Amino acid sequence: LTVLIPFRSMQISKAEGKGEILPPTIQKIIKGYNKYLRPFFDNGPVSVGMSLDIASIDTISEINMDYTATIFLRQRWTDEMLWVPDTFIVDSKKSFLHDITVENRLIRIYPNGTVLYALRITTTVSCSMDLTKYPMDKQTCTLQLESWGYNINDVMFYWTRGNDSVRGLDTLQLAQYTVEDHFTSVSEAVYETGRYPKLVFHFELKRNILYFILETYVPSILLVVLSWVSFWISQSSVPARICIGVTTVLTMTTLMMGARTSLPNANCFIKAIDVYLGICFSFIFGALLEYAVAHFCTLHRLSSKEVPKVFYFFLLICTQNYVNKCRSLCLELKLQLMSNPVSSESVAVKLLTSKTMSVMKRLFCIFDCFHVKNPYHIDNYARFSFPLSFIIINVLYWVYYLYF
């Protein structure tokens, strides 16, 4: 048989001015009762077994780095009196016991002296998260239980059924996450005041990426593709191409700002979604710059035989140092050929002319590589290079963040 006792003050209630008579068994239990004294045994500290039922995990906040859960905490120990362990949740930010319609507490006393103490608690617990792979991340959160005032010489904690001591996660439905794994562990908390018993429940959460694919990735890809439409519009249609470029840039900026509203403003986190949005923004902005370059080359189109005066001036500056070296070489030749000064001067001039022409030919070749003979070919190159490079970068991005 078991005896059920409401865990309020263990006092004899008054009913109509007369004291209510409690059963002899209960009177024997509460005689000399002091809830602050733990049971004392000759064989060592009191062993308190614990088990949990996870009723719900209501919210998981990346901004606050915490989660809110409702749990059923059950504790078992052997005691001749009604002592209660001073168990607390280590990383709890705020917690409360439910009291509708009555306080959700239960004490059950068995004939062999075993006491079962159960509570229904809603708690907000801190959970440190690594968001570098967000939204393809996995987070490991914990629920830690410790004794507040009793050290390991007084109380020992253990899980009653090992990893099976925590139930409810298998049937739990979360909005953005899937519970991939969970396990329990037993350890000790070391503080300045001593070593205290500690139980830890670990659970691993994997974020569901489908929502982010539909909400962020697909729109950003479509915006990049939309920016490529300008490559098929005539360069003379300035308003149309400028309108597409500016609209896609502004829309992408709005999408990037919206993606960051639900995340902590921490500079230490460069998230995977930030990297992808940055890539998409770069391609969209590059498409706008492509038209600016193509339009500029169209207005300042150069024939294959014409070279601007500015380029001659550039060549003159670039070859200035080399000409000075040639002059010094001429002086050396004069000293060597003092007997024939005319010959030495002619040799120096020939050497200067040949070296200078060689340098100018090389510079002309370099300039010719970057010279666009037909500005309308820029769009043809962009139609091929932009999609190909975007596909390659996407492959590298998804392989890295999914498998590394």
Side-chain angles (χ1 to χ4, degrees), residues 107-128:
I107 285 187
R108 181 171 294 174
I109 303 174
Y110 293 87
N112 61 356
T114 300
V115 179
L116 170 65
Y117 181 38
L119 300 169
R120 182 179 175 223
I121 307 171
T122 294
T123 179
T124 301
V125 184
S126 175
C127 178
S128 179

Side-chain angles (χ1 to χ4, degrees), residues 238-248 288:
V238 177
R241 297 194 66 163
I242 291 297
C243 181
I244 291 178
V246 174
T247 302
T248 51
L288 181 62

Side-chain angles (χ1 to χ4, degrees), residues 135-355:
M136 292 166 281
D137 56 328
K138 294 181 181 180
Q139 306 297 339
T140 301
C141 297
T142 60
L143 181 65
Q144 304 180 43
L145 302 172
E146 291 183 13
S147 175
W148 177 255
Y150 297 104
N151 57 31
I152 59 176
N153 297 322
D154 299 323
V155 175
M156 292 297 295
F157 288 170
Y158 69 96
W159 295 105
T160 55
R161 296 181 300 273
N163 289 337
D164 295 332
S165 301
V166 181
R167 298 179 180 179
L169 286 178
D170 297 335
T171 59
L172 204 60
Q173 298 293 330
L174 302 177
Q176 289 189 16
Y177 293 90
T178 301
V179 181
E180 282 204 330
D181 191 18
H182 61 89
F183 60 94
T184 59
S185 64
V186 181
S187 62
E188 296 179 359
V190 181
Y191 300 103
E192 183 181 356
T193 56
R195 305 168 69 92
Y196 296 86
K198 180 178 182 179
L199 297 181
V200 185
F201 169 59
H202 311 258
F203 58 98
E204 188 176 275
L205 301 172
K206 181 180 180 181
R207 197 184 303 272
N208 298 325
I209 195 177
L210 180 61
Y211 167 81
F212 297 93
I213 290 177
L214 299 177
E215 186 73 13
T216 304
Y217 284 96
V218 170
S220 59
I221 292 174
L222 294 179
L223 285 175
V224 173
V225 175
L226 179 61
S227 67
W228 298 341
V229 175
S230 63
F231 300 153
W232 278 265
I233 300 177
S234 174
Q235 293 185 7
S236 60
S237 302
V238 177
R241 297 194 66 163
I242 291 297
C243 181
I244 291 178
V246 174
T247 302
T248 51
V249 168
L250 294 179
T251 307
M252 192 66 205
T253 303
T254 304
L255 185 64
M256 294 173 66
M257 294 176 62
R260 294 188 60 87
T261 54
S262 60
L263 295 174
N265 297 323
N267 296 329
C268 58
F269 290 117
I270 301 177
K271 297 169 286 297
I273 195 170
D274 294 335
V275 174
Y276 194 82
L277 292 177
I279 292 172
C280 294
F281 183 83
S282 300
F283 272 89
I284 293 174
F285 190 73
L288 181 62
L289 291 181
E290 183 271 345
Y291 176 64
V293 173
H295 188 67
F296 177 81
C297 293
T298 302
L299 295 178
H300 300 274
R301 185 175 180 179
L302 300 176
S303 62
S304 58
K305 296 182 179 181
E306 292 178 347
V307 180
K309 295 180 179 179
V310 177
F311 183 63
Y312 282 117
F313 182 70
F314 172 74
L315 290 179
L316 181 61
I317 294 175
C318 292
T319 57
Q320 186 67 35
N321 293 332
Y322 192 79
V323 169
N324 293 334
K325 293 181 180 180
C326 291
R327 288 177 177 175
S328 63
L329 183 60
C330 290
L331 295 176
E332 293 180 0
L333 291 175
K334 286 182 178 180
L335 295 176
Q336 294 178 2
L337 302 174
M338 292 295 294
S339 60
N340 191 359
V342 177
S343 176
S344 63
E345 186 70 24
S346 61
V347 171
V349 170
K350 291 181 180 179
L351 181 60
L352 176 62
T353 304
S354 61
K355 294 295 183 180

Side-chain angles (χ1 to χ4, degrees), residues 49-54 70-76 87-89 97 104 106 116-121 143 145 159 199:
M50 296 192 185
S51 62
L52 293 174
D53 276 355
I54 308 295
T70 300
I71 63 173
F72 296 93
L73 174 62
R74 300 183 179 91
Q75 304 176 80
R76 293 176 175 84
T87 307
F88 74 101
I89 301 174
L97 298 175
N104 296 172
L106 169 67
L116 170 65
Y117 181 38
L119 300 169
R120 182 179 175 223
I121 307 171
L143 181 65
L145 302 172
W159 295 105
L199 297 181

